[in-house]
Amino acid sequence: RISTMSDVEALVGTHNVVFFDSPSCPYCRKAEAALRQADIEFTKVPIDPYRAALKDMTGKTSAPSVWIKGTYVGGCNDGTEPWHGVLPMLANGKFKEFLGA
């Protein structure tokens, strides 16, 4: 079944970090490795059933789609805001700041 925006909201509201993943995506592997190296726990979810809802919510369907405490923070290197992206946010401390660490 195709997931809805409320499915996405429930998922991202339940877990501190949600990582919408595509198995064949090299950017997913890079972002996942960086999160593991930083000892950040995350919930990995297959992106395909959520793509339409994610497009409605973020304007993007690309993987990974990473969320911290219900807030979209982009993909591996960037997103829809200048400060988005797992790698830059890990480098500048924003990722852990969002987690309240």
Side-chain angles (χ1 to χ4, degrees):
R1 98 176 172 82
I2 301 294
S3 299
T4 64
M5 287 198 317
S6 53
D7 293 328
V8 172
E9 286 164 359
L11 197 57
V12 301
T14 309
H15 304 281
N16 279 342
V17 180
V18 177
F19 187 105
F20 290 95
D21 179 62
S22 178
S24 61
C25 166
Y27 293 104
C28 293
R29 300 295 67 80
K30 204 169 181 180
E32 181 178 1
L35 290 173
R36 290 192 193 288
Q37 189 175 347
D39 283 329
I40 293 173
E41 289 183 25
F42 56 94
T43 301
K44 193 157 73 165
V45 180
I47 196 170
D48 285 339
Y50 297 93
R51 281 193 201 265
L54 288 168
K55 182 173 175 60
D56 289 343
M57 296 171 80
T58 67
K60 292 179 98 47
T61 59
S62 55
S65 180
V66 181
W67 297 67
I68 304 173
K69 294 189 172 182
T71 300
Y72 173 66
V73 297
C76 182
N77 299 307
D78 56 17
T80 55
E81 299 289 337
W83 53 270
H84 276 178
V86 169
L87 299 184
M89 287 181 73
L90 285 171
N92 67 20
K94 246 190 192 324
F95 206 100
K96 288 194 173 176
E97 193 180 297
F98 264 71
L99 282 171

